[in-house]
Amino acid sequence: MGDRMNYNEAMDYLKEVSCYGGKLGLESIQELLKRLDHPENELKFVHVAGTNGKGSTSAYLASILAEADYTVGRYISPVVVAYEECIQVIRKDQPALKAYIRKEHIAKHLTKIKGICDEMVEEGLTSPTAFEIETVMAFLEFIEQKVDIVILEVGLGGRLDATNVINNVLVSIMTSISMDHMQFLGNTLTEIASEKAGIIKQGVPVVSYEQQEEAKKVINERCKETGSRLYMLHKKDVSIKTMTINGTTFLLEQEQEEPYYIPLLGEHQVYNAYVAMTAARVLQEQGFVINEENIRLGLANTRWFGRFSVIEHNPYVIVDGAHNIDAANMLCRAVEQYFGTKKGIFVVGVFQDKEYEEILKRTSKYAKMIITVTTKSERALPSDKLKRVAKQYCNHVIDAKTIENGMVIAKQMAMEDDYILCFGSLSFLADIAGKTV
């Protein structure tokens, strides 16, 4: 095996691999894991699938487990702040950025993995994809950091996702399922839910967000097939007490006592918290020592940037990763909740493969002005095209070209009691927020 790569070389290698594309299926990653003596078998997992809410549900659960003094591995996508965010090791009372994998660890793990991938290609086998390689890198890091449990988010779908190579799953979580990635997962909610329910394993308990009827049916049937106990949650079991821009308090119906507090904004976050709390209680039944205090503090201390996050005051600057229709609907509800009929200044940048026309149609009635920008990604929709679409729904649209420009214009236009709402692709939120995480 050659010399160890440095971080830049390791990132170049990942870029190069992502150009190969890859075939759907788990053969390549299974071969890679076999040649590494199956690191995934040394870890315990909570596996999280769904269209929206995976990140915040995982953030709540990681925070609860860390409060209970467990060391928690977390594998997430897409990332918002920096590449290293995708692999995190979370410990109690540790600053968020400290959890991210270190660059030299990325270089070390990828050097090892590249050596094996190169051998596989020489033997005429297909090279694992970039996402498969990252998933294996996460396993290696989690073993090295001696984590107690890993919260593993599915990348795409579920059944054939690279993360679905794991065996020791303690609980599977289904967050809100809706229409997204139709080109890969199918055109109906039933088809999409079937792909996502593919992570449900024999006898492993499942905690699910309250789903639409078709998705609910699929999950029920899958749990019957696998003999898995299903906790299908109901929104009616939760009552929201207060919602302000500083956070939300809610009660669970069966335990009328002190309300729980969460800092993440938007009504849907209450239900994501309910899913995480239920998963924590399922882990409790499996011998994890988690008490009520851990659950309360874990929820209250959860940080999850880019989900209707207030990053500045006077005027409010809010960032949100609404990048599909379901998320756009949640964003509209949040705007109504916190700003009523008051219209805001929107800064929007999207990927061209998203349903941006429908997203703008739903959100633009809350905008007095829309500023379009081109995000820093090969998949970005050019801001002038976005402007043409936005013009159909809002009279005052400015094409700012760049994110930096867009923010300057928004701040010049905003009065002190205005709000600036930045949304679209998760990847451009990091540029807006700079270092405010």
Side-chain angles (χ1 to χ4, degrees):
M1 198 165 93
D3 297 335
R4 182 190 288 190
M5 296 186 283
N6 64 30
Y7 175 74
N8 290 338
E9 289 163 341
M11 295 314 281
D12 287 344
Y13 167 62
L14 272 183
K15 268 202 199 83
E16 186 189 315
V17 174
S18 51
C19 299
Y20 303 158
K23 58 181 198 302
L24 216 48
L26 300 174
E27 293 85 5
S28 297
I29 188 171
Q30 278 161 340
E31 181 63 29
L32 174 57
L33 288 166
K34 186 173 104 183
R35 292 175 184 223
L36 284 163
D37 292 332
H38 290 290
E40 76 283 12
N41 291 344
E42 294 178 46
L43 299 161
K44 292 176 182 159
F45 296 95
V46 173
H47 207 180
V48 186
T51 311
N52 291 304
K54 288 196 294 283
S56 32
T57 304
S58 303
Y60 286 126
L61 184 56
S63 187
I64 290 168
L65 285 160
E67 280 297 335
D69 277 326
Y70 290 101
T71 300
V72 186
R74 206 174 148 212
Y75 182 53
I76 68 172
S77 64
V79 298
V80 177
V81 185
Y83 175 75
E84 298 81 70
E85 186 188 1
C86 70
I87 298 171
Q88 301 182 19
V89 175
I90 295 158
R91 297 180 174 91
K92 191 172 181 171
D93 299 331
Q94 149 192 279
L97 295 173
K98 271 270 186 290
Y100 298 178
I101 185 173
R102 288 170 35 200
K103 290 182 173 174
E104 58 268 32
H105 288 203
I106 291 174
K108 177 178 70 179
H109 298 316
L110 285 181
T111 299
K112 185 175 186 177
I113 292 168
K114 179 182 187 295
I116 295 171
C117 291
D118 290 349
E119 280 169 18
M120 285 169 63
V121 172
E122 274 163 31
E123 291 169 31
L125 299 169
T126 309
S127 168
T129 63
F131 184 70
E132 289 171 333
I133 288 169
E134 286 168 335
T135 304
V136 173
M137 168 166 65
F139 297 159
L140 296 179
E141 176 70 4
F142 294 148
I143 289 169
E144 193 172 298
Q145 299 291 333
K146 298 186 169 53
V147 303
D148 299 305
I149 187 166
V150 175
I151 301 175
L152 195 71
E153 284 182 35
V154 166
L156 177 68
R159 186 173 62 91
L160 295 173
D161 186 72
T163 63
N164 208 21
V165 291
I166 55 177
N167 301 310
N168 310 330
V169 183
L170 304 180
V171 57
S172 306
I173 292 178
M174 294 281 151
T175 66
S176 168
I177 297 175
S178 62
M179 305 298 276
D180 198 7
H181 299 296
M182 280 81 85
Q183 68 274 42
F184 302 110
L185 302 179
N187 288 315
T188 66
L189 202 54
T190 299
E191 286 173 322
I192 289 175
S194 299
E195 284 299 317
K196 293 185 189 292
I199 71 161
I200 296 172
K201 303 208 169 8
Q202 205 64 38
V204 174
V206 176
V207 178
S208 175
Y209 191 97
E210 180 165 358
Q211 305 288 356
Q212 295 172 56
E213 218 35 64
E214 302 98 299
K216 197 179 282 189
K217 199 166 157 225
V218 168
I219 294 168
N220 266 316
E221 279 168 13
R222 175 73 184 160
C223 287
K224 280 204 187 83
E225 277 166 34
T226 55
S228 301
R229 185 165 173 196
L230 173 62
Y231 299 80
M232 180 63 78
L233 306 184
H234 299 288
K235 291 178 181 174
K236 65 175 174 26
D237 296 336
V238 183
S239 56
I240 295 171
K241 290 292 163 214
T242 61
M243 282 183 92
T244 73
I245 202 94
N246 300 315
T248 305
T249 61
F250 65 94
L251 284 170
L252 294 186
E253 286 307 332
Q254 70 269 32
E255 41 184 81
Q256 290 299 345
E257 45 165 307
E258 175 144 351
Y260 295 92
Y261 164 77
I262 51 170
L264 305 190
L265 303 181
E267 186 185 337
H268 57 288
Q269 289 300 357
V270 174
Y271 307 119
N272 290 334
Y274 182 25
V275 173
M277 292 163 76
T278 308
R281 290 181 172 144
V282 173
L283 290 173
Q284 221 173 5
E285 286 170 17
Q286 299 185 26
F288 277 74
V289 183
I290 301 166
N291 61 32
E292 178 63 15
E293 176 84 342
N294 300 147
I295 291 177
R296 285 184 178 279
L297 283 172
L299 293 178
N301 293 332
T302 303
R303 299 285 168 269
W304 189 224
F305 170 75
R307 285 68 188 176
F308 210 79
S309 309
V310 178
I311 59 169
E312 284 178 36
H313 297 259
N314 304 336
Y316 282 115
V317 178
I318 295 156
V319 291
D320 187 87
H323 60 288
N324 57 32
I325 292 170
D326 201 28
N329 289 338
M330 289 174 183
L331 177 61
C332 293
R333 282 206 293 279
V335 168
E336 281 175 16
Q337 175 66 47
Y338 300 111
F339 298 107
T341 54
K342 188 176 173 50
K343 295 192 169 192
I345 296 169
F346 286 12
V347 181
V348 187
V350 293
F351 287 164
Q352 49 200 2
D353 56 357
K354 293 293 178 183
E355 295 167 289
Y356 51 85
E357 180 144 1
E358 192 57 44
I359 290 168
L360 278 174
K361 190 171 162 182
R362 291 178 193 221
T363 52
S364 52
K365 63 179 176 211
Y366 302 98
K368 61 177 176 186
M369 167 199 279
I370 295 176
I371 299 167
T372 62
V373 300
T374 308
T375 66
K376 294 175 185 171
S377 161
E378 299 83 77
R379 291 163 61 198
L381 181 77
S383 54
D384 55 337
K385 271 196 180 162
L386 189 57
K387 177 184 176 177
R388 282 204 292 279
V389 176
K391 282 294 275 188
Q392 299 169 46
Y393 306 109
C394 177
N395 295 331
H396 197 175
V397 183
I398 297 172
D399 171 9
K401 303 282 186 254
T402 67
I403 292 157
E404 294 75 10
N405 227 358
M407 291 310 290
V408 168
I409 295 169
K411 286 180 176 175
Q412 281 170 349
M413 298 289 192
M415 305 295 185
E416 196 170 314
D417 63 342
D418 269 331
Y419 65 95
I420 297 168
L421 177 61
C422 316
F423 67 95
S425 73
L426 283 173
S427 61
F428 98 112
L429 301 180
D431 297 311
I432 288 173
K435 294 284 172 277
T436 56
V437 184

